[in-house]
């Protein structure tokens, strides 16, 4: 087997990929995991994770990600930092193209997760990093004593709003409906937080400011009324989209770009599996992603055994 040839190549270093890597390495398979960012994936953005079993007092997302990485490496998983740019199928082999050269795998586990969706309004891209953010844990501390808004009504929006109360004077959650989507426990927590208020039935139609964010334009979707609100920071939490552009036309995707798998995490292409948030109908939790990763590695091993 040549230097860059593996039995299992894993794309993505979140809970799904790292758990797949742990299982593959412990099965004695020559395995490598490729990730372009921080190992741990989206969970590293979470200040405090309370719903990953085994940590009764919770754990910081960064620490959980680091522990998963260490554990997989300890059992023999190779890891590399590079961006995956393409996938080619050559007979039974899969060629994974990256910014660090090509890697060949007998099996591939696609676990690249999902990226934060943009709002798509005027000013958002221009003011990114200058008041527009997609990660409260990364950027929250820059907004000491400021008035902030969080856009969205899901678990991410609420988690981010709660984190921002450590720094901000006021955090306003702007939601397009009059009911949150977030889970019960988060809704209860946010209810008792005096720094948080709400703008219901409202959408942001533009973000303005010369150098940094200064104000947002709002539309009340029920009354049609428009208004302007002075703010220093806009945290966008309107969901995620899968990172599957580079496999379009190679691996079957659903209409939103998520990978279609069966319950064994197998795609329609023999030897290509997928795990975690990148999958159609994933529950999008760190713990379910880890479960997907374990399942994918087990069936990758089965495929390798049966295809000899
Ligand atoms: P999500 O559940 O899809 O929620 C996205 C929110 O953004 C929804 O409230 C949605 O409104 C709103 N939205 C979508 N497009 C919009 C637009 N164009 N303009 C304004 N608002 C828009 O996404 P998420 O909150 O990122 O959560 C993703 C997954 O991660 C979920 O499964 C969640 O449970 C999980 N997660 C869990 C935790 C935790 O357990 N602590 C933390 C973070 C995330 P509607 O409600 O009207 O659709």
């Amino acid at each position: 087997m040549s230097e860059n040839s593996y039995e299992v190549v894993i794309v993505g270093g979140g809970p799904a990929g790292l758990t797949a890597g742990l299982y593959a390495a412990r099965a004695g398979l020559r395995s490598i995991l490729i990730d372009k960012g921080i190992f741990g994936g989206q969970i590293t953005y979470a200040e405090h994770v309370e719903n990953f079993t085994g940590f009764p007092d919770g754990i910081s997302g960064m620490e959980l990600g680091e522990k998963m990485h260490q554990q997989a490496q300890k059992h023999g998983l190779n890891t590399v930092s590079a961006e995956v740019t393409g996938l080619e199928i050559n007979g039974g082999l899969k060629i994974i193209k990256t910014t660090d050269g090509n890697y060949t795998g007998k099996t591939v586990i696609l676990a690249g997760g999902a990226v934060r969706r943009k709002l798509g309004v005027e000013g958002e891209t221009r003011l990114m990093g200058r008041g527009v953010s997609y990660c409260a844990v990364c950027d929250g501390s820059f907004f000491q004593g400021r008035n902030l808004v969080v856009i969205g009504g899901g678990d991410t929006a609420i988690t981010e709003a709660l984190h921002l109360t450590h720094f901000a004077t006021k955090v306003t959650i702007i939601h397009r409906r009059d009911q949150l989507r977030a889970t019960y426990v988060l809704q209860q927590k946010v209810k008792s937080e005096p720094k948080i208020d709400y703008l219901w039935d409202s959408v942001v139609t533009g973000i303005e400011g010369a150098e940094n964010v200064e104000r947002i334009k709002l539309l009340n979707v029920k009354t049609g009324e428009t208004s302007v609100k002075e703010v220093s920071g806009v945290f966008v939490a309107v969901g995620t989209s899968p990172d599957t552009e580079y496999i379009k036309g190679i691996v079957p995707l659903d209409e939103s770009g998520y990978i279609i798998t069966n319950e064994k995490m197998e795609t329609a292409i023999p030897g290509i599996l997928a795990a975690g948030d990148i999958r159609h109908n994933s529950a999008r939790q760190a713990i379910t992603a880890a479960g997907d990763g374990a399942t994918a590695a087990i069936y990758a091993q089965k495929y390798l055994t049966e295809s000899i």
Side-chain angles (χ1 to χ4, degrees):
M1 201 176 259
S2 78
E3 201 190 324
N4 278 354
S5 295
Y6 292 86
E7 286 169 299
V8 185
V9 178
I10 300 158
V11 180
L18 288 169
T19 309
L22 172 68
Y23 272 69
R26 279 176 50 82
L29 301 172
R30 186 171 147 79
S31 314
I32 190 163
L33 183 151
I34 307 165
D35 192 282
K36 63 172 178 243
I38 298 171
F39 292 100
Q42 288 183 80
I43 197 70
T44 60
Y45 300 158
E47 183 189 22
H48 192 67
V49 180
E50 288 182 340
N51 54 5
F52 202 98
T53 41
F55 301 96
D57 300 321
I59 182 168
S60 90
M62 187 60 86
E63 196 185 345
L64 181 59
E66 274 170 14
K67 280 184 186 293
M68 287 179 180
H69 186 205
Q70 279 168 14
Q71 189 178 1
Q73 277 191 317
K74 187 178 149 192
H75 287 278
L77 176 71
N78 300 288
T79 56
V80 63
S81 289
E83 185 170 357
V84 174
T85 53
L87 171 67
E88 258 179 39
I89 299 171
N90 184 355
L93 294 177
K94 289 91 193 162
I95 298 146
I96 297 91
K97 300 182 166 185
T98 83
T99 48
D100 183 51
N102 291 353
Y103 291 83
T104 304
K106 287 183 181 169
T107 65
V108 175
I109 298 175
L110 299 167
V115 292
R116 286 288 188 87
R117 206 182 285 147
K118 284 199 183 145
L119 202 53
V121 299
E122 216 183 316
E124 181 181 17
T125 304
R126 182 176 65 82
L127 293 165
M128 209 183 285
R130 291 191 278 158
V132 174
S133 170
Y134 302 82
C135 175
V137 171
C138 317
D139 301 329
S141 61
F142 301 129
F143 294 91
Q144 204 77 45
R146 306 293 180 88
N147 286 337
L148 306 176
V149 295
V150 175
I151 305 163
D155 284 345
T156 303
I158 302 311
T159 308
E160 303 249 306
L162 286 167
H163 179 72
L164 291 171
T165 60
H166 300 324
F167 316 101
T169 305
K170 188 104 218 148
V171 181
T172 303
I173 295 173
I174 301 174
H175 187 31
R176 63 184 176 182
R177 294 186 290 134
D178 61 2
Q179 250 188 338
L180 296 175
R181 173 182 292 279
T183 44
Y184 173 79
V185 68
L186 285 173
Q187 292 204 28
Q188 292 308 106
K189 270 191 186 171
V190 83
K191 250 187 199 166
S192 56
E193 177 44 65
K195 280 189 182 176
I196 293 180
D197 64 5
Y198 302 88
L199 265 178
W200 300 112
D201 301 316
S202 298
V203 293
V204 172
T205 55
I207 305 172
E208 295 181 341
E211 292 297 319
N212 297 300
V213 169
E214 292 170 27
R215 70 195 82 83
I216 53 174
K217 294 200 284 189
L218 291 157
L219 168 72
N220 183 307
V221 292
K222 274 201 178 146
T223 63
E225 197 183 314
T226 59
S227 58
V228 170
K229 183 175 175 62
E230 307 283 320
V231 293
S232 307
V234 177
F235 286 79
V236 181
V238 295
T240 52
S241 9
D243 189 10
T244 50
E245 202 53 44
Y246 70 97
I247 50 168
K248 259 188 190 159
I250 302 168
V251 179
L253 307 176
D254 70 10
E255 65 286 351
S256 306
Y258 291 90
I259 301 171
I260 299 165
T261 65
N262 62 17
E263 73 284 359
K264 298 174 185 169
M265 307 300 139
E266 295 165 332
T267 71
I269 314 297
I272 301 185
L273 302 95
D277 287 17
I278 203 165
R279 260 184 358 100
H280 170 75
N281 265 350
S282 152
R284 294 186 293 176
Q285 305 291 309
I287 194 106
T288 58
D292 281 4
T295 307
I298 288 165
Y299 286 99
Q301 185 186 17
K302 206 154 190 269
Y303 169 84
L304 288 165
T305 312
E306 288 169 1
S307 62
I308 288 171

